[in-house]
Amino acid sequence: YVLPGALPFESEDDQERRQIMADIQTYVDEAITKFIIGQMSLDEWDSYVEKVKSMNIDRVIEIYQKAFDAWNSK
């Protein structure tokens, strides 16, 4: 089974995905750095996950699933 190199996102979905992920990626990059250097404790992991969820990561997953389903149906 071969995964696609680029999923066929619909234009509106792709724009929404990019918009959401810009904020999420910034937060994730900063948080991972803080975890590594000890500014954030691993005890804060659950709040980190909740923050990413509150930033609408579930919508991004839906967009990816929709594009994957479209690609897979070909």
Side-chain angles (χ1 to χ4, degrees), residues 10-33:
E10 292 181 8
S11 181
E12 290 176 9
D13 286 344
D14 193 39
Q15 183 179 7
E16 182 181 7
R17 176 189 66 87
R18 288 172 185 265
Q19 202 169 51
I20 294 169
M21 283 307 298
D23 292 337
I24 290 175
Q25 193 61 58
T26 299
Y27 174 71
V28 167
D29 290 345
E30 291 172 358
I32 294 298
T33 299

